[in-house]
């Protein structure tokens, strides 16, 4: 059994997609000869909580904890609401930001590089250096964001000559919200420097998208593997399909994920088609920015909106299975074409048709096309959106609306864990660390 140490900030009871990737790897690692030890913060400030995920943590694994200093707690002195929304990644448009929000964003962007969890680096290195030596561990994994976690890996690599995998659930300097952090030129330069140091000192890099792999290969000659997120074989209670024509979005809808032309298309359909107006519901599940809610209201859709807020992962899965159509929205910027949300794979396995909107050449369009799980549109393709929504509605009326999804088995969490295990075992074979 190969022992590996996973260093992660997000872990149950944290909610949201950030926790699920490595929770699922850890769940299946022992099936492939990997014994994981998990290192997490003792007192984190998680923006979302989902107690139900704790039941998926294998009882036999070792979990290590050390305290972390969280600046977001200090920020709450100035504005509890602003600090919480920023920590969730919900950033209002520039013209709608209050003075406090602008100040907090500037401080977050320029005083906490690479992120607000930077104060966990030194105590973690000190604690783990001793533990790793005593436990005879020679392979570590860091997963970010937060990218401070990768700096823990970098220091441990330098001190102990470990084999190290850096896993990027999202990119670093090309992430969509970086331009909202009011970064100075000096701060941008520091981010790029730290990113390069991590990418060139690590032994192997894993990423969740094809575009991120291409970006990283321009910076480093270290091997980069695409291991996407995926779906698990969830035990879903028997759920009936909604009697209404529900178009549901599961997950956060940040300010940038605001498809105003889709809202207009949906409103037009309610005005042009009485049967559509009687049956249609727009369901949002998860954190939704005020900008998005304002746009929906301005489009005339408030009477059709069912805004459920954050729900447990279990309930979210049930809603996916009962919805008529599943909506996926990515920010309309070139730098977000690399984002493949974890919910895409859960959408696929729910067998409900997907309506996806994003930037040109987005990686999600490739996956949707390969699996025949729905349709992808660029933001400007409103006439095409309208045509597909009408075709979905017609099938709904006939009781025939279902996704014809295929070739998704390679995205099961167990299959993906096998891929990650092979990366770890190949590293072990190449290890020449003196005993």
């Amino acid at each position: 059994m190969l022992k590996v140490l996973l260093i992660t900030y997000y872990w149950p009871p944290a909610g949201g997609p950030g926790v699920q990737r490595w929770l699922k790897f850890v769940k299946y690692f022992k099936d492939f000869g990997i014994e994981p030890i998990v290192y997490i913060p003792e007192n984190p400030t998680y923006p979302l909580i989902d107690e139900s995920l704790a039941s998926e943590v294998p009882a036999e694994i070792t979990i290590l904890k050390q305290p972390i200093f969280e600046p977001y707690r200090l920020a709450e002195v100035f504005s509890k609401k602003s600090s919480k929304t920023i920590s969730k990644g919900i950033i209002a448009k520039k013209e709608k930001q209050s003075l406090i929000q602008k100040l907090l964003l500037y401080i977050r962007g320029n005083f906490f590089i690479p992120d607000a969890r930077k104060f966990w680096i030194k105590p973690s290195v000190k604690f783990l250096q001793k533990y790793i030596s005593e436990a005879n561990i020679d392979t570590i994994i860091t997963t970010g964001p937060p990218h401070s976690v990768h700096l823990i890996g970098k220091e441990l690599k330098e001190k102990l000559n470990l084999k190290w995998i850096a896993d990027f659930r999202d990119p670093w300097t090309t992430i969509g919200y970086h331009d909202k952090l009011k970064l100075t030129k000096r701060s941008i330069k520091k981010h790029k420097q730290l990113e390069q140091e991590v990418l060139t000192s690590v032994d192997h890099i894993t990423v969740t998208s094809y575009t991120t792999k291409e970006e990283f290969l321009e910076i480093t000659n270290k091997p980069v593997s695409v291991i996407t997120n995926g779906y698990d074989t969830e035990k879903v209670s028997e759920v009936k399909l909604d009697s209404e024509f529900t178009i549901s979005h599961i997950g956060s809808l940040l300010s940038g994920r605001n498809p105003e032309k889709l809202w207009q298309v949906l409103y037009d359909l309610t005005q042009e088609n009485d049967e559509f107006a009687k049956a249609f519901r727009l369901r949002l599940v998860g954190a939704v920015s005020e900008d998005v809610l304002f746009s929906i209201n301005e489009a005339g859709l408030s009477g059709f909106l069912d805004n459920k807020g954050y729900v447990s992962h279990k309930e979210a899965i049930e809603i996916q299975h009962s919805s008529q159509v599943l909506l996926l929205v990515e920010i309309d910027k070139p730098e977000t074409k690399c984002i493949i949300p974890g919910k895409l794979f859960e959408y696929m396995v729910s067998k409900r048709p997907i309506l996806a909107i994003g930037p040109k050449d987005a990686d999600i369009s490739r996956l949707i096309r390969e699996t025949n799980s729905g349709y992808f549109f660029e933001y400007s393709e409103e006439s095409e959106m309208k045509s597909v929504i009408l075709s979905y509605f017609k099938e709904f009326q006939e009781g025939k609306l279902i996704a014809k999804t295929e070739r998704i088995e390679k995205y099961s969490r167990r299959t993906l864990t096998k891929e990650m295990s092979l990366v770890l075992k190949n590293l072990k074979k190449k290890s020449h660390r003196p005993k």
Side-chain angles (χ1 to χ4, degrees):
M1 193 75 75
L2 172 61
K3 276 201 290 189
V4 300
L5 174 69
L6 168 66
I7 305 170
T8 180
Y9 176 79
Y10 291 105
W11 194 253
V19 66
Q20 292 177 41
R21 177 173 173 82
W22 280 94
L23 174 61
K24 302 296 185 178
F25 284 141
V26 167
K27 177 180 176 180
Y28 292 112
F29 262 154
K30 284 205 169 180
D31 293 349
F32 302 101
I34 305 292
E35 180 187 342
I37 298 162
V38 182
Y39 174 71
I40 58 175
E42 185 175 70
N43 55 327
T45 303
Y46 292 140
L48 298 172
I49 299 293
D50 187 346
E51 298 286 357
S52 69
L53 293 176
S55 64
E56 296 195 50
V57 179
E60 70 276 8
I61 69 165
T62 299
I63 297 180
L64 312 172
K65 298 181 181 181
Q66 281 292 288
I68 183 172
F69 167 66
E70 296 268 35
Y72 285 119
R73 295 191 185 107
L74 296 179
E76 288 180 4
V77 173
F78 298 98
S79 174
K80 190 170 184 178
K81 182 180 178 181
S82 293
S83 65
K84 283 198 170 184
T85 55
I86 289 171
S87 71
K88 291 179 183 178
I90 300 176
I91 302 174
K93 290 181 179 179
K94 187 176 180 180
E95 61 271 17
K96 294 186 179 181
Q97 292 170 9
S98 67
L99 186 61
I100 286 290
Q101 287 174 319
K102 290 176 181 177
L103 177 62
L104 290 176
L105 285 169
Y106 181 84
I107 292 171
R108 157 67 181 89
N110 297 287
F111 288 81
F112 302 110
I113 298 175
D115 49 64
R117 278 81 190 203
K118 61 180 288 187
F119 301 102
W120 200 39
I121 299 171
K122 285 187 178 180
S124 295
V125 171
K126 182 179 179 181
F127 171 78
L128 290 174
Q129 188 175 353
K130 182 173 185 292
Y131 180 86
I132 287 168
S133 298
E134 291 175 351
N136 195 29
I137 294 168
D138 60 12
T139 304
I140 62 171
I141 305 163
T142 57
T143 179
H147 299 304
S148 287
V149 173
H150 296 313
L151 300 184
I152 298 173
K154 178 176 173 289
E155 288 200 32
L156 290 172
K157 167 78 173 175
E158 290 169 353
K159 292 176 182 294
L160 299 174
N161 192 29
L162 299 161
K163 288 295 179 182
W164 169 33
I165 293 175
D167 176 65
F168 287 82
R169 302 189 311 278
D170 288 321
W172 188 329
T173 57
T174 58
I175 191 71
Y177 59 74
H178 246 220
D179 63 347
K180 296 182 180 180
L181 293 179
K182 306 185 186 302
L183 299 174
T184 64
K185 289 183 179 179
R186 183 178 179 182
S187 297
I188 292 170
K189 184 178 179 180
K190 182 64 176 176
H191 271 289
K192 289 186 178 295
Q193 176 195 331
L194 290 173
E195 178 186 49
Q196 185 171 39
E197 287 177 4
V198 166
L199 293 178
T200 54
S201 58
V202 73
D203 293 289
H204 199 107
I205 301 157
T206 55
V207 296
T208 57
S209 79
Y210 313 101
T211 299
T212 303
K213 176 178 179 176
E214 292 170 8
E215 289 176 358
F216 283 177
L217 288 176
E218 292 179 2
I219 301 173
T220 183
N221 59 3
K222 296 300 175 70
V224 183
S225 298
V226 178
I227 301 181
T228 67
N229 289 308
Y231 67 88
D232 206 1
T233 49
E234 310 271 2
K235 288 184 178 179
V236 181
S237 303
E238 195 67 36
V239 293
K240 292 182 179 179
L241 278 175
D242 296 331
S243 58
E244 296 174 304
F245 183 62
T246 45
I247 298 180
S248 300
H249 181 278
I250 317 292
S252 299
L253 263 183
L254 312 183
S255 299
R257 295 190 181 104
N258 191 7
E260 294 178 352
K261 290 185 178 179
L262 171 64
W263 309 145
Q264 189 59 52
V265 163
L266 291 170
Y267 175 75
D268 290 345
L269 285 169
T270 64
Q271 298 304 296
E272 298 164 4
N273 189 318
D274 289 342
E275 291 184 350
F276 185 91
K278 289 176 183 176
F280 169 60
R281 296 294 288 172
L282 175 62
R283 180 182 291 149
L284 305 182
V285 181
V288 184
S289 79
E290 292 297 325
D291 291 332
V292 173
L293 293 174
F294 179 80
S295 294
I296 291 171
N297 184 58
E298 282 290 288
L301 292 176
S302 57
F304 301 93
L305 178 63
D306 176 16
N307 185 13
K308 298 188 73 67
Y310 186 77
V311 303
S312 71
H313 181 63
K314 180 177 180 291
E315 187 176 348
I317 294 295
E318 290 174 353
I319 291 172
Q320 284 172 22
H321 281 74
S322 65
S323 297
Q324 294 292 345
V325 177
L326 295 171
L327 175 62
L328 189 150
V329 183
E330 195 44 74
I331 298 170
D332 189 22
K333 289 186 176 181
E335 57 264 34
T336 64
K337 69 178 187 178
C338 65
I339 304 297
I340 305 176
K343 66 172 167 273
L344 172 61
F345 304 98
E346 292 181 345
Y347 276 15
M348 288 176 179
V349 78
S350 71
K351 298 291 187 182
R352 304 312 305 152
I354 297 170
L355 180 71
I357 301 170
K360 183 179 180 180
D361 299 325
D363 285 353
I364 54 177
S365 65
R366 169 178 170 176
L367 269 69
I368 289 172
R369 185 173 60 253
E370 286 179 354
T371 58
N372 194 34
S373 52
Y375 290 91
F376 171 86
F377 303 98
E378 295 175 30
Y379 273 68
S380 60
E381 296 180 312
E382 57 259 54
S383 62
E384 292 87 346
M385 290 181 211
K386 190 173 186 179
S387 175
V388 166
I389 293 169
L390 274 173
S391 69
Y392 280 161
F393 182 62
K394 184 179 179 182
E395 290 179 38
F396 158 76
Q397 289 180 305
E398 295 170 350
K400 298 177 181 177
L401 182 58
I402 189 168
K404 300 173 179 64
T405 309
E406 56 191 17
R407 299 185 296 275
I408 63 169
E409 294 78 13
K410 63 181 178 180
Y411 299 116
S412 76
R413 293 287 190 181
R414 195 174 190 283
T415 299
L416 294 165
T417 304
K418 182 179 181 179
E419 286 185 41
M420 188 64 76
S421 300
L422 289 173
V423 171
L424 287 162
K425 289 175 180 177
N426 287 335
L427 264 190
K428 177 68 174 177
K429 289 177 185 176
K430 298 174 184 177
S431 177
H432 298 291
R433 181 185 174 208
K435 299 292 182 183

